[in-house]
mmCIF file of all heavy atoms in Angstrom:
data_model
loop_
_atom_site.group_PDB
_atom_site.id
_atom_site.type_symbol
_atom_site.label_atom_id
_atom_site.label_comp_id
_atom_site.label_asym_id
_atom_site.label_seq_id
_atom_site.Cartn_x
_atom_site.Cartn_y
_atom_site.Cartn_z
ATOM 1 N N LYS A 1 0.797 -1.223 0.000
ATOM 2 C CA LYS A 1 0.000 0.000 0.000
ATOM 3 C C LYS A 1 0.835 1.282 0.000
ATOM 4 O O LYS A 1 0.309 2.356 -0.320
ATOM 5 C CB LYS A 1 -0.923 0.025 1.223
ATOM 6 C CG LYS A 1 -1.871 -1.166 1.317
ATOM 7 C CD LYS A 1 -2.793 -1.256 0.115
ATOM 8 C CE LYS A 1 -3.745 -2.439 0.250
ATOM 9 N NZ LYS A 1 -4.599 -2.594 -0.954
ATOM 10 N N LEU A 2 2.115 1.176 0.380
ATOM 11 C CA LEU A 2 2.939 2.386 0.488
ATOM 12 C C LEU A 2 4.363 2.080 0.048
ATOM 13 O O LEU A 2 4.939 1.070 0.440
ATOM 14 C CB LEU A 2 2.944 2.901 1.935
ATOM 15 C CG LEU A 2 3.807 4.138 2.222
ATOM 16 C CD1 LEU A 2 3.258 5.361 1.503
ATOM 17 C CD2 LEU A 2 3.886 4.402 3.730
ATOM 18 N N LEU A 3 4.936 2.970 -0.780
ATOM 19 C CA LEU A 3 6.351 2.937 -1.148
ATOM 20 C C LEU A 3 6.975 4.203 -0.594
ATOM 21 O O LEU A 3 6.378 5.301 -0.685
ATOM 22 C CB LEU A 3 6.532 2.875 -2.662
ATOM 23 C CG LEU A 3 6.217 1.540 -3.356
ATOM 24 C CD1 LEU A 3 4.719 1.278 -3.396
ATOM 25 C CD2 LEU A 3 6.767 1.529 -4.783
ATOM 26 N N PHE A 4 8.175 4.093 -0.012
ATOM 27 C CA PHE A 4 8.794 5.229 0.669
ATOM 28 C C PHE A 4 10.267 5.305 0.327
ATOM 29 O O PHE A 4 10.974 4.297 0.338
ATOM 30 C CB PHE A 4 8.622 5.092 2.191
ATOM 31 C CG PHE A 4 9.214 6.226 2.975
ATOM 32 C CD1 PHE A 4 8.507 7.402 3.155
ATOM 33 C CD2 PHE A 4 10.480 6.126 3.522
ATOM 34 C CE1 PHE A 4 9.058 8.458 3.868
ATOM 35 C CE2 PHE A 4 11.042 7.171 4.240
ATOM 36 C CZ PHE A 4 10.318 8.343 4.417
ATOM 37 N N CYS A 5 10.734 6.505 0.025
ATOM 38 C CA CYS A 5 12.169 6.698 -0.214
ATOM 39 C C CYS A 5 12.583 8.092 0.214
ATOM 40 O O CYS A 5 11.750 8.986 0.414
ATOM 41 C CB CYS A 5 12.521 6.470 -1.691
ATOM 42 S SG CYS A 5 12.174 7.878 -2.767
ATOM 43 N N GLU A 6 13.890 8.258 0.362
ATOM 44 C CA GLU A 6 14.510 9.556 0.592
ATOM 45 C C GLU A 6 15.490 9.749 -0.558
ATOM 46 O O GLU A 6 16.398 8.941 -0.739
ATOM 47 C CB GLU A 6 15.241 9.550 1.934
ATOM 48 C CG GLU A 6 15.987 10.818 2.266
ATOM 49 C CD GLU A 6 16.745 10.684 3.576
ATOM 50 O OE1 GLU A 6 16.098 10.463 4.615
ATOM 51 O OE2 GLU A 6 17.987 10.772 3.556
ATOM 52 N N SER A 7 15.283 10.778 -1.364
ATOM 53 C CA SER A 7 16.135 10.955 -2.542
ATOM 54 C C SER A 7 16.414 12.442 -2.774
ATOM 55 O O SER A 7 15.464 13.218 -2.963
ATOM 56 C CB SER A 7 15.459 10.360 -3.780
ATOM 57 O OG SER A 7 16.285 10.449 -4.914
ATOM 58 N N PRO A 8 17.700 12.838 -2.731
ATOM 59 C CA PRO A 8 18.864 12.009 -2.411
ATOM 60 C C PRO A 8 18.849 11.604 -0.945
ATOM 61 O O PRO A 8 18.248 12.266 -0.104
ATOM 62 C CB PRO A 8 20.047 12.926 -2.727
ATOM 63 C CG PRO A 8 19.496 14.305 -2.597
ATOM 64 C CD PRO A 8 18.080 14.235 -3.024
ATOM 65 N N SER A 9 19.532 10.506 -0.668
ATOM 66 C CA SER A 9 19.518 9.974 0.695
ATOM 67 C C SER A 9 20.576 10.643 1.556
ATOM 68 O O SER A 9 21.567 11.175 1.069
ATOM 69 C CB SER A 9 19.755 8.464 0.665
ATOM 70 O OG SER A 9 21.087 8.172 0.274
ATOM 71 N N ASN A 10 20.331 10.583 2.846
ATOM 72 C CA ASN A 10 21.263 11.098 3.848
ATOM 73 C C ASN A 10 21.930 9.909 4.530
ATOM 74 O O ASN A 10 21.234 9.070 5.108
ATOM 75 C CB ASN A 10 20.464 11.928 4.865
ATOM 76 C CG ASN A 10 21.233 12.241 6.136
ATOM 77 O OD1 ASN A 10 22.446 12.305 6.150
ATOM 78 N ND2 ASN A 10 20.495 12.422 7.222
ATOM 79 N N PRO A 11 23.250 9.753 4.443
ATOM 80 C CA PRO A 11 24.223 10.723 3.946
ATOM 81 C C PRO A 11 24.884 10.353 2.610
ATOM 82 O O PRO A 11 25.780 11.063 2.165
ATOM 83 C CB PRO A 11 25.279 10.679 5.056
ATOM 84 C CG PRO A 11 25.300 9.220 5.437
ATOM 85 C CD PRO A 11 23.878 8.723 5.294
ATOM 86 N N LEU A 12 24.482 9.262 1.967
ATOM 87 C CA LEU A 12 25.249 8.725 0.835
ATOM 88 C C LEU A 12 24.786 9.230 -0.523
ATOM 89 O O LEU A 12 25.304 8.786 -1.552
ATOM 90 C CB LEU A 12 25.200 7.191 0.857
ATOM 91 C CG LEU A 12 25.849 6.534 2.077
ATOM 92 C CD1 LEU A 12 25.701 5.017 2.019
ATOM 93 C CD2 LEU A 12 27.327 6.919 2.163
ATOM 94 N N ALA A 13 23.821 10.138 -0.562
ATOM 95 C CA ALA A 13 23.371 10.734 -1.823
ATOM 96 C C ALA A 13 22.921 9.680 -2.828
ATOM 97 O O ALA A 13 23.177 9.797 -4.023
ATOM 98 C CB ALA A 13 24.464 11.609 -2.428
ATOM 99 N N GLU A 14 22.226 8.650 -2.347
ATOM 100 C CA GLU A 14 21.649 7.664 -3.254
ATOM 101 C C GLU A 14 20.415 8.271 -3.904
ATOM 102 O O GLU A 14 19.602 8.903 -3.238
ATOM 103 C CB GLU A 14 21.265 6.407 -2.483
ATOM 104 C CG GLU A 14 20.624 5.314 -3.317
ATOM 105 C CD GLU A 14 20.213 4.131 -2.457
ATOM 106 O OE1 GLU A 14 21.048 3.249 -2.222
ATOM 107 O OE2 GLU A 14 19.047 4.117 -2.003
ATOM 108 N N ILE A 15 20.272 8.071 -5.207
ATOM 109 C CA ILE A 15 19.176 8.664 -5.958
ATOM 110 C C ILE A 15 18.186 7.581 -6.373
ATOM 111 O O ILE A 15 18.577 6.574 -6.965
ATOM 112 C CB ILE A 15 19.683 9.397 -7.213
ATOM 113 C CG1 ILE A 15 20.760 10.422 -6.840
ATOM 114 C CG2 ILE A 15 18.521 10.057 -7.949
ATOM 115 C CD1 ILE A 15 20.292 11.543 -5.945
ATOM 116 N N THR A 16 16.931 7.801 -6.071
ATOM 117 C CA THR A 16 15.853 6.937 -6.549
ATOM 118 C C THR A 16 15.245 7.555 -7.799
ATOM 119 O O THR A 16 15.018 8.774 -7.848
ATOM 120 C CB THR A 16 14.761 6.777 -5.471
ATOM 121 O OG1 THR A 16 15.321 6.105 -4.332
ATOM 122 C CG2 THR A 16 13.586 5.969 -5.990
ATOM 123 N N ASP A 17 14.987 6.734 -8.793
ATOM 124 C CA ASP A 17 14.325 7.210 -10.007
ATOM 125 C C ASP A 17 12.854 7.432 -9.659
ATOM 126 O O ASP A 17 12.034 6.503 -9.678
ATOM 127 C CB ASP A 17 14.474 6.184 -11.132
ATOM 128 C CG ASP A 17 13.978 6.701 -12.472
ATOM 129 O OD1 ASP A 17 13.083 7.575 -12.479
ATOM 130 O OD2 ASP A 17 14.461 6.224 -13.517
ATOM 131 N N ILE A 18 12.509 8.652 -9.321
ATOM 132 C CA ILE A 18 11.170 8.949 -8.805
ATOM 133 C C ILE A 18 10.106 8.654 -9.845
ATOM 134 O O ILE A 18 9.048 8.096 -9.524
ATOM 135 C CB ILE A 18 11.104 10.412 -8.321
ATOM 136 C CG1 ILE A 18 12.067 10.602 -7.129
ATOM 137 C CG2 ILE A 18 9.681 10.793 -7.925
ATOM 138 C CD1 ILE A 18 12.178 12.033 -6.654
ATOM 139 N N ARG A 19 10.352 9.005 -11.083
ATOM 140 C CA ARG A 19 9.356 8.748 -12.127
ATOM 141 C C ARG A 19 9.081 7.250 -12.269
ATOM 142 O O ARG A 19 7.916 6.822 -12.365
ATOM 143 C CB ARG A 19 9.847 9.299 -13.464
ATOM 144 C CG ARG A 19 9.958 10.827 -13.541
ATOM 145 C CD ARG A 19 10.419 11.257 -14.917
ATOM 146 N NE ARG A 19 10.598 12.697 -15.030
ATOM 147 C CZ ARG A 19 11.732 13.330 -14.729
ATOM 148 N NH1 ARG A 19 12.779 12.641 -14.280
ATOM 149 N NH2 ARG A 19 11.829 14.646 -14.883
ATOM 150 N N ALA A 20 10.139 6.442 -12.275
ATOM 151 C CA ALA A 20 9.980 4.992 -12.461
ATOM 152 C C ALA A 20 9.260 4.355 -11.286
ATOM 153 O O ALA A 20 8.349 3.523 -11.460
ATOM 154 C CB ALA A 20 11.340 4.342 -12.666
ATOM 155 N N VAL A 21 9.643 4.719 -10.062
ATOM 156 C CA VAL A 21 8.997 4.136 -8.878
ATOM 157 C C VAL A 21 7.562 4.627 -8.751
ATOM 158 O O VAL A 21 6.673 3.873 -8.335
ATOM 159 C CB VAL A 21 9.823 4.438 -7.612
ATOM 160 C CG1 VAL A 21 9.126 3.907 -6.371
ATOM 161 C CG2 VAL A 21 11.225 3.838 -7.733
ATOM 162 N N ALA A 22 7.307 5.865 -9.143
ATOM 163 C CA ALA A 22 5.930 6.376 -9.133
ATOM 164 C C ALA A 22 5.052 5.554 -10.070
ATOM 165 O O ALA A 22 3.886 5.274 -9.756
ATOM 166 C CB ALA A 22 5.910 7.849 -9.538
ATOM 167 N N ASN A 23 5.604 5.155 -11.193
ATOM 168 C CA ASN A 23 4.849 4.337 -12.149
ATOM 169 C C ASN A 23 4.536 2.956 -11.567
ATOM 170 O O ASN A 23 3.439 2.424 -11.732
ATOM 171 C CB ASN A 23 5.633 4.194 -13.450
ATOM 172 C CG ASN A 23 4.827 3.513 -14.539
ATOM 173 O OD1 ASN A 23 3.710 3.903 -14.845
ATOM 174 N ND2 ASN A 23 5.396 2.461 -15.119
ATOM 175 N N ILE A 24 5.519 2.375 -10.849
ATOM 176 C CA ILE A 24 5.308 1.082 -10.193
ATOM 177 C C ILE A 24 4.190 1.188 -9.164
ATOM 178 O O ILE A 24 3.301 0.336 -9.089
ATOM 179 C CB ILE A 24 6.614 0.598 -9.535
ATOM 180 C CG1 ILE A 24 7.664 0.272 -10.604
ATOM 181 C CG2 ILE A 24 6.368 -0.610 -8.635
ATOM 182 C CD1 ILE A 24 9.050 0.013 -10.042
ATOM 183 N N ALA A 25 4.231 2.243 -8.376
ATOM 184 C CA ALA A 25 3.201 2.444 -7.355
ATOM 185 C C ALA A 25 1.830 2.640 -7.994
ATOM 186 O O ALA A 25 0.825 2.070 -7.544
ATOM 187 C CB ALA A 25 3.561 3.651 -6.491
ATOM 188 N N ARG A 26 1.786 3.421 -9.043
ATOM 189 C CA ARG A 26 0.512 3.715 -9.700
ATOM 190 C C ARG A 26 -0.128 2.446 -10.258
ATOM 191 O O ARG A 26 -1.330 2.230 -10.122
ATOM 192 C CB ARG A 26 0.747 4.737 -10.811
ATOM 193 C CG ARG A 26 -0.529 5.335 -11.400
ATOM 194 C CD ARG A 26 -0.210 6.395 -12.437
ATOM 195 N NE ARG A 26 0.681 7.413 -11.909
ATOM 196 C CZ ARG A 26 1.949 7.576 -12.292
ATOM 197 N NH1 ARG A 26 2.480 6.775 -13.208
ATOM 198 N NH2 ARG A 26 2.691 8.518 -11.777
ATOM 199 N N GLN A 27 0.682 1.610 -10.879
ATOM 200 C CA GLN A 27 0.160 0.370 -11.449
ATOM 201 C C GLN A 27 -0.397 -0.564 -10.376
ATOM 202 O O GLN A 27 -1.316 -1.343 -10.637
ATOM 203 C CB GLN A 27 1.255 -0.338 -12.246
ATOM 204 C CG GLN A 27 1.655 0.385 -13.530
ATOM 205 C CD GLN A 27 2.789 -0.310 -14.259
ATOM 206 O OE1 GLN A 27 3.423 -1.223 -13.729
ATOM 207 N NE2 GLN A 27 3.058 0.127 -15.490
ATOM 208 N N ALA A 28 0.158 -0.479 -9.166
ATOM 209 C CA ALA A 28 -0.284 -1.342 -8.068
ATOM 210 C C ALA A 28 -1.373 -0.707 -7.216
ATOM 211 O O ALA A 28 -1.870 -1.332 -6.275
ATOM 212 C CB ALA A 28 0.909 -1.706 -7.190
ATOM 213 N N GLY A 29 -1.715 0.533 -7.509
ATOM 214 C CA GLY A 29 -2.698 1.225 -6.687
ATOM 215 C C GLY A 29 -2.165 1.597 -5.318
ATOM 216 O O GLY A 29 -2.927 1.760 -4.366
ATOM 217 N N ALA A 30 -0.835 1.734 -5.215
ATOM 218 C CA ALA A 30 -0.200 2.084 -3.944
ATOM 219 C C ALA A 30 0.172 3.562 -3.929
ATOM 220 O O ALA A 30 0.186 4.237 -4.958
ATOM 221 C CB ALA A 30 1.042 1.222 -3.722
ATOM 222 N N VAL A 31 0.491 4.076 -2.755
ATOM 223 C CA VAL A 31 0.900 5.468 -2.566
ATOM 224 C C VAL A 31 2.425 5.528 -2.515
ATOM 225 O O VAL A 31 3.070 4.703 -1.856
ATOM 226 C CB VAL A 31 0.304 6.036 -1.257
ATOM 227 C CG1 VAL A 31 0.848 7.425 -0.967
ATOM 228 C CG2 VAL A 31 -1.218 6.058 -1.342
#
């Protein structure tokens, strides 16, 4: 039901592809 990320992350500056993960969430009906 929920996907959660911090981007960029603290402290290692890991980047999540927000557009791609948003699409995954949308297809699953998750937030």
